[in-house]
Amino acid sequence: MKNSLSIAGSLLAVAFAIQMPAHAQDGVDVETSTVVPDIEEPEDDALMGPTVFDGDWVSVGIGGAYSPSYTGSDAYRFSVLPIVQGSLGGIDVNPRPGGLALDFLPDADEGPGLDLGIAARLRNNRTDIEDIDDPVVEMLGELDTAFEVGPTVGVSFPGVLNPFDSLSFSVDARWDVAGAHEGFSANPSITYFTPLSRAIVTSLSIGAEYADSDFNDYYFSVSEAGSAVSGLPQFEADGGINSVSANLLAGFDLSGDATDGGLAIVTIAGYSRLVGDAKDTPLTSIRGDADQFFVAAGIGYTF
Protein backbone atom coordinates (compact mmCIF):
# COMPACT_ATOMS: atom_id res chain seq x y z
CA MET A 1 0.00 0.00 0.00
CA LYS A 2 2.23 2.73 -1.37
CA ASN A 3 0.23 5.67 -0.03
CA SER A 4 -0.20 4.23 3.45
CA LEU A 5 3.53 3.62 3.41
CA SER A 6 4.11 7.32 2.84
CA ILE A 7 2.35 8.25 6.09
CA ALA A 8 4.24 5.45 7.83
CA GLY A 9 7.42 6.92 6.50
CA SER A 10 6.58 10.37 7.76
CA LEU A 11 5.95 8.99 11.24
CA LEU A 12 9.04 6.85 11.09
CA ALA A 13 11.00 9.95 10.13
CA VAL A 14 9.77 11.76 13.23
CA ALA A 15 10.99 8.99 15.48
CA PHE A 16 14.33 8.50 13.81
CA ALA A 17 15.09 12.18 13.56
CA ILE A 18 14.37 12.85 17.24
CA GLN A 19 16.74 10.06 18.24
CA MET A 20 19.57 12.52 17.61
CA PRO A 21 18.95 15.19 20.26
CA ALA A 22 19.51 18.83 19.40
CA HIS A 23 22.32 19.06 21.94
CA ALA A 24 24.12 15.90 20.77
CA GLN A 25 22.78 14.58 17.47
CA ASP A 26 25.00 11.57 17.53
CA GLY A 27 23.88 9.54 20.53
CA VAL A 28 22.44 6.29 19.19
CA ASP A 29 23.22 6.04 15.52
CA VAL A 30 20.13 4.47 14.01
CA GLU A 31 20.06 6.78 11.05
CA THR A 32 20.53 3.84 8.75
CA SER A 33 16.92 2.98 9.41
CA THR A 34 15.41 6.22 8.19
CA VAL A 35 14.79 5.07 4.63
CA VAL A 36 11.15 5.03 3.58
CA PRO A 37 10.74 1.94 1.38
CA ASP A 38 8.68 2.06 -1.79
CA ILE A 39 5.81 -0.31 -2.43
CA GLU A 40 3.39 -0.60 -5.33
CA GLU A 41 -0.36 0.06 -5.10
CA PRO A 42 -2.17 -3.29 -4.87
CA GLU A 43 -4.82 -4.24 -7.40
CA ASP A 44 -7.69 -4.09 -4.90
CA ASP A 45 -10.74 -1.88 -5.49
CA ALA A 46 -11.13 -1.36 -1.75
CA LEU A 47 -7.79 0.41 -1.62
CA MET A 48 -8.05 2.43 -4.84
CA GLY A 49 -9.21 6.02 -5.17
CA PRO A 50 -7.77 9.46 -4.36
CA THR A 51 -5.54 9.85 -1.33
CA VAL A 52 -3.62 12.66 0.30
CA PHE A 53 -0.41 11.33 -1.29
CA ASP A 54 -1.52 11.47 -4.94
CA GLY A 55 0.13 14.84 -5.55
CA ASP A 56 2.24 17.18 -3.46
CA TRP A 57 1.97 16.48 0.27
CA VAL A 58 3.68 17.44 3.51
CA SER A 59 3.93 15.82 6.94
CA VAL A 60 4.92 17.81 10.01
CA GLY A 61 5.53 16.33 13.42
CA ILE A 62 7.18 16.55 16.79
CA GLY A 63 8.40 13.92 19.19
CA GLY A 64 10.39 13.17 22.30
CA ALA A 65 13.37 10.83 22.58
CA TYR A 66 15.45 9.39 25.40
CA SER A 67 18.97 8.62 24.15
CA PRO A 68 22.69 8.83 25.06
CA SER A 69 24.12 12.34 25.35
CA TYR A 70 26.93 11.49 22.88
CA THR A 71 28.29 8.46 21.06
CA GLY A 72 29.49 5.91 23.61
CA SER A 73 28.01 7.72 26.61
CA ASP A 74 26.32 5.84 29.44
CA ALA A 75 24.38 8.98 30.43
CA TYR A 76 20.96 9.53 28.83
CA ARG A 77 18.98 12.65 28.07
CA PHE A 78 15.48 13.58 26.93
CA SER A 79 15.13 15.79 23.86
CA VAL A 80 12.41 17.23 21.63
CA LEU A 81 12.80 17.86 17.91
CA PRO A 82 10.39 18.87 15.11
CA ILE A 83 10.49 17.25 11.70
CA VAL A 84 9.16 17.79 8.16
CA GLN A 85 8.76 15.32 5.31
CA GLY A 86 6.95 15.47 1.98
CA SER A 87 6.93 15.36 -1.79
CA LEU A 88 6.95 18.58 -3.78
CA GLY A 89 7.24 18.83 -7.54
CA GLY A 90 8.26 15.20 -7.84
CA ILE A 91 11.14 15.54 -5.36
CA ASP A 92 10.81 13.56 -2.14
CA VAL A 93 12.12 15.16 1.06
CA ASN A 94 12.99 12.60 3.74
CA PRO A 95 14.44 13.42 7.17
CA ARG A 96 17.74 12.10 8.43
CA PRO A 97 19.16 12.42 11.96
CA GLY A 98 20.38 16.01 12.07
CA GLY A 99 19.50 16.60 8.42
CA LEU A 100 17.56 15.44 5.37
CA ALA A 101 17.74 13.57 2.08
CA LEU A 102 16.36 14.53 -1.33
CA ASP A 103 15.24 11.78 -3.72
CA PHE A 104 15.14 12.91 -7.35
CA LEU A 105 13.79 9.68 -8.91
CA PRO A 106 9.99 9.43 -9.29
CA ASP A 107 8.37 6.39 -7.71
CA ALA A 108 7.69 3.51 -10.08
CA ASP A 109 4.05 2.56 -10.70
CA GLU A 110 4.90 -1.11 -10.24
CA GLY A 111 7.90 -3.36 -9.57
CA PRO A 112 11.04 -2.39 -7.63
CA GLY A 113 11.48 1.24 -6.67
CA LEU A 114 14.77 3.10 -6.98
CA ASP A 115 15.99 6.06 -4.91
CA LEU A 116 18.81 8.38 -5.94
CA GLY A 117 19.57 11.72 -4.36
CA ILE A 118 21.59 13.74 -1.87
CA ALA A 119 21.79 13.35 1.91
CA ALA A 120 23.07 15.99 4.32
CA ARG A 121 23.36 16.29 8.08
CA LEU A 122 24.85 18.32 10.91
CA ARG A 123 26.82 16.14 13.33
CA ASN A 124 26.86 17.76 16.77
CA ASN A 125 28.65 15.04 18.71
CA ARG A 126 30.23 16.57 21.86
CA THR A 127 29.98 20.10 20.44
CA ASP A 128 28.58 21.68 23.64
CA ILE A 129 30.59 21.23 26.82
CA GLU A 130 27.46 21.65 28.95
CA ASP A 131 25.86 18.61 27.32
CA ILE A 132 28.78 16.21 27.94
CA ASP A 133 27.50 14.34 30.98
CA ASP A 134 30.87 12.98 32.06
CA PRO A 135 33.42 15.16 33.93
CA VAL A 136 36.41 13.23 32.51
CA VAL A 137 35.27 13.37 28.88
CA GLU A 138 34.38 17.01 29.44
CA MET A 139 38.10 17.68 30.09
CA LEU A 140 38.83 16.77 26.46
CA GLY A 141 36.92 19.86 25.40
CA GLU A 142 34.35 20.62 22.75
CA LEU A 143 34.44 19.37 19.18
CA ASP A 144 33.42 21.32 16.08
CA THR A 145 30.14 20.78 14.26
CA ALA A 146 30.52 18.72 11.09
CA PHE A 147 28.39 19.34 8.01
CA GLU A 148 28.26 16.14 5.97
CA VAL A 149 27.02 15.86 2.38
CA GLY A 150 26.93 13.01 -0.12
CA PRO A 151 24.84 10.69 -2.29
CA THR A 152 22.08 8.39 -1.12
CA VAL A 153 20.93 5.37 -3.14
CA GLY A 154 18.35 2.68 -2.48
CA VAL A 155 16.13 -0.02 -3.92
CA SER A 156 12.79 -1.35 -2.61
CA PHE A 157 11.01 -4.60 -3.45
CA PRO A 158 7.23 -4.63 -2.86
CA GLY A 159 5.05 -7.63 -2.12
CA VAL A 160 7.66 -9.83 -0.46
CA LEU A 161 5.47 -11.77 1.99
CA ASN A 162 2.10 -10.09 1.39
CA PRO A 163 0.66 -7.63 -1.15
CA PHE A 164 1.34 -4.62 1.08
CA ASP A 165 4.84 -5.14 2.51
CA SER A 166 8.28 -4.21 1.17
CA LEU A 167 11.97 -4.94 1.68
CA SER A 168 14.38 -2.05 1.14
CA PHE A 169 18.14 -1.66 0.88
CA SER A 170 19.86 1.72 1.08
CA VAL A 171 23.20 3.47 1.60
CA ASP A 172 23.97 7.05 2.61
CA ALA A 173 27.57 8.15 1.97
CA ARG A 174 28.71 11.55 3.27
CA TRP A 175 31.85 13.67 3.53
CA ASP A 176 32.44 16.50 6.02
CA VAL A 177 32.72 19.82 4.18
CA ALA A 178 32.86 22.06 7.27
CA GLY A 179 36.43 21.20 8.33
CA ALA A 180 35.53 19.36 11.55
CA HIS A 181 36.49 15.68 11.21
CA GLU A 182 37.15 16.12 7.44
CA GLY A 183 36.35 12.45 6.97
CA PHE A 184 33.86 10.06 5.39
CA SER A 185 31.07 7.87 6.76
CA ALA A 186 28.61 5.44 5.18
CA ASN A 187 25.37 3.99 6.53
CA PRO A 188 23.96 0.89 4.85
CA SER A 189 20.61 -0.46 6.01
CA ILE A 190 17.94 -3.11 5.41
CA THR A 191 14.31 -2.29 6.26
CA TYR A 192 11.26 -4.55 6.25
CA PHE A 193 7.91 -2.76 6.34
CA THR A 194 4.42 -4.24 6.66
CA PRO A 195 1.03 -2.86 7.64
CA LEU A 196 -0.97 -4.81 10.21
CA SER A 197 -4.20 -3.03 9.19
CA ARG A 198 -5.24 0.15 7.37
CA ALA A 199 -4.37 2.08 10.54
CA ILE A 200 -1.34 0.25 11.99
CA VAL A 201 2.06 -0.09 10.34
CA THR A 202 5.30 -1.66 11.55
CA SER A 203 8.91 -1.54 10.44
CA LEU A 204 12.05 -3.46 11.41
CA SER A 205 15.41 -2.03 10.36
CA ILE A 206 18.96 -3.31 10.66
CA GLY A 207 21.88 -1.05 9.86
CA ALA A 208 25.52 -0.19 10.41
CA GLU A 209 27.94 2.72 10.28
CA TYR A 210 31.36 2.69 8.62
CA ALA A 211 33.79 5.61 8.96
CA ASP A 212 37.30 6.32 7.73
CA SER A 213 40.37 7.04 9.85
CA ASP A 214 39.90 10.84 9.78
CA PHE A 215 36.37 10.50 11.18
CA ASN A 216 37.31 8.00 13.89
CA ASP A 217 40.49 9.81 14.88
CA TYR A 218 38.47 12.98 15.48
CA TYR A 219 35.75 11.38 17.61
CA PHE A 220 37.46 8.44 19.31
CA SER A 221 41.21 9.10 19.64
CA VAL A 222 42.79 10.37 22.87
CA SER A 223 45.89 12.43 22.16
CA GLU A 224 48.92 12.82 24.42
CA ALA A 225 47.63 16.22 25.51
CA GLY A 226 44.13 14.83 26.05
CA SER A 227 45.53 12.00 28.10
CA ALA A 228 47.51 14.38 30.30
CA VAL A 229 44.43 16.52 30.96
CA SER A 230 41.86 13.77 31.49
CA GLY A 231 43.92 10.88 32.88
CA LEU A 232 42.58 8.57 30.14
CA PRO A 233 45.12 6.39 28.32
CA GLN A 234 46.26 7.51 24.89
CA PHE A 235 44.36 5.91 22.03
CA GLU A 236 44.69 6.18 18.25
CA ALA A 237 41.50 5.25 16.42
CA ASP A 238 41.55 3.90 12.87
CA GLY A 239 38.82 3.54 10.28
CA GLY A 240 36.32 0.68 10.25
CA ILE A 241 32.80 -0.33 11.24
CA ASN A 242 31.67 1.71 14.25
CA SER A 243 28.25 0.30 15.05
CA VAL A 244 25.47 -2.11 14.17
CA SER A 245 21.87 -1.34 15.06
CA ALA A 246 18.32 -2.69 15.11
CA ASN A 247 15.14 -0.64 15.41
CA LEU A 248 11.47 -1.53 15.69
CA LEU A 249 8.71 0.95 14.87
CA ALA A 250 4.93 0.93 15.20
CA GLY A 251 2.75 3.69 13.73
CA PHE A 252 -0.95 4.30 14.43
CA ASP A 253 -3.18 6.47 12.23
CA LEU A 254 -5.77 8.13 14.45
CA SER A 255 -8.47 8.25 11.77
CA GLY A 256 -8.20 4.52 11.14
CA ASP A 257 -7.02 5.03 7.54
CA ALA A 258 -3.39 5.80 6.77
CA THR A 259 -4.21 7.05 3.24
CA ASP A 260 -6.35 10.05 4.23
CA GLY A 261 -3.69 12.07 6.06
CA GLY A 262 -4.43 13.75 9.35
CA LEU A 263 -3.01 12.83 12.73
CA ALA A 264 -1.01 9.74 13.60
CA ILE A 265 1.31 8.65 16.39
CA VAL A 266 4.45 6.53 16.38
CA THR A 267 6.54 4.63 18.90
CA ILE A 268 10.03 3.27 18.34
CA ALA A 269 12.65 1.32 20.27
CA GLY A 270 16.25 1.05 19.12
CA TYR A 271 19.49 -0.63 20.10
CA SER A 272 22.97 0.08 18.77
CA ARG A 273 26.16 -1.81 19.60
CA LEU A 274 29.44 0.04 19.18
CA VAL A 275 32.20 -2.12 17.70
CA GLY A 276 35.80 -1.69 16.59
CA ASP A 277 37.62 1.42 17.73
CA ALA A 278 34.33 3.11 18.63
CA LYS A 279 33.99 0.42 21.30
CA ASP A 280 37.68 0.20 22.28
CA THR A 281 38.26 3.93 22.77
CA PRO A 282 38.64 4.89 26.46
CA LEU A 283 35.69 7.25 25.99
CA THR A 284 33.50 4.15 25.62
CA SER A 285 35.39 1.29 27.25
CA ILE A 286 36.34 3.20 30.43
CA ARG A 287 33.94 6.13 30.72
CA GLY A 288 30.92 4.96 28.73
CA ASP A 289 29.09 1.92 27.38
CA ALA A 290 29.16 0.14 24.01
CA ASP A 291 25.48 -0.77 24.40
CA GLN A 292 23.39 2.20 23.30
CA PHE A 293 19.59 2.25 23.72
CA PHE A 294 16.96 4.66 22.53
CA VAL A 295 13.18 5.04 22.81
CA ALA A 296 10.93 7.68 21.28
CA ALA A 297 7.32 8.63 20.62
CA GLY A 298 5.95 11.29 18.32
CA ILE A 299 2.87 12.70 16.62
CA GLY A 300 2.57 13.83 13.02
CA TYR A 301 0.02 15.53 10.77
CA THR A 302 -0.15 14.93 7.01
CA PHE A 303 -1.89 17.18 4.48
Side-chain angles (χ1 to χ4, degrees):
M1 199 157 46
K2 186 175 182 179
N3 291 325
S4 64
L5 183 58
S6 296
I7 183 61
S10 66
L11 297 176
L12 180 145
V14 171
F16 281 115
I18 60 177
Q19 66 84 24
M20 295 299 177
H23 58 264
Q25 290 178 345
D26 208 317
V28 181
D29 194 354
V30 294
E31 69 179 72
T32 59
S33 304
T34 56
V35 173
V36 179
D38 291 322
I39 187 167
E40 67 181 271
E41 192 85 35
E43 297 296 330
D44 187 333
D45 291 341
L47 299 176
M48 301 299 283
T51 77
V52 71
F53 304 105
D54 289 339
D56 292 346
W57 61 274
V58 175
S59 290
V60 294
I62 192 168
Y66 189 64
S67 59
S69 61
Y70 60 87
T71 301
S73 175
D74 60 0
Y76 284 69
R77 287 199 168 197
F78 177 81
S79 59
V80 176
L81 191 68
I83 200 68
V84 175
Q85 185 189 18
S87 181
L88 299 172
I91 299 176
D92 293 338
V93 180
N94 295 311
R96 293 291 192 266
L100 56 81
L102 302 178
D103 175 22
F104 300 113
L105 290 183
D107 294 330
D109 292 331
E110 59 182 24
L114 298 176
D115 296 330
L116 177 62
I118 297 174
R121 70 167 291 172
L122 289 174
R123 190 180 295 270
N124 296 324
N125 191 26
R126 292 163 46 209
T127 57
D128 188 339
I129 202 72
E130 295 182 358
D131 295 322
I132 302 176
D133 295 326
D134 186 301
V136 174
V137 177
E138 183 179 331
M139 295 177 184
L140 298 176
E142 297 178 350
L143 301 179
D144 294 329
T145 299
F147 180 55
E148 303 170 357
V149 181
T152 177
V153 296
V155 59
S156 299
F157 300 94
V160 179
L161 300 178
N162 64 66
F164 313 110
D165 69 356
S166 70
L167 183 66
S168 300
F169 304 85
S170 70
V171 178
D172 288 357
R174 300 180 308 271
W175 287 261
D176 174 34
V177 297
H181 61 75
E182 300 182 336
F184 163 82
S185 65
N187 299 102
S189 70
I190 302 173
T191 300
Y192 177 73
F193 164 87
T194 188
L196 301 182
S197 69
R198 289 184 70 91
I200 302 175
V201 297
T202 59
S203 176
L204 175 64
S205 300
I206 299 174
E209 179 183 74
Y210 168 85
D212 67 7
S213 57
D214 289 332
F215 181 106
N216 283 357
D217 179 63
Y218 190 72
Y219 290 112
F220 303 123
S221 289
V222 179
S223 66
E224 182 178 356
S227 176
V229 170
S230 66
L232 294 173
Q234 294 184 45
F235 184 81
E236 183 176 354
D238 201 357
I241 298 175
N242 287 341
S243 65
V244 292
S245 61
N247 306 278
L248 180 64
L249 171 139
F252 307 88
D253 188 88
L254 297 183
S255 73
D257 185 351
T259 68
D260 66 359
L263 287 171
I265 60 174
V266 67
T267 59
I268 184 172
Y271 169 74
S272 180
R273 173 70 178 181
L274 299 182
V275 297
D277 283 353
K279 171 180 175 290
D280 295 336
T281 174
L283 282 72
T284 303
S285 61
I286 297 177
R287 301 302 307 181
D289 193 339
D291 295 313
Q292 308 269 277
F293 298 91
F294 137 80
V295 292
I299 186 167
Y301 184 82
T302 300
F303 58 94

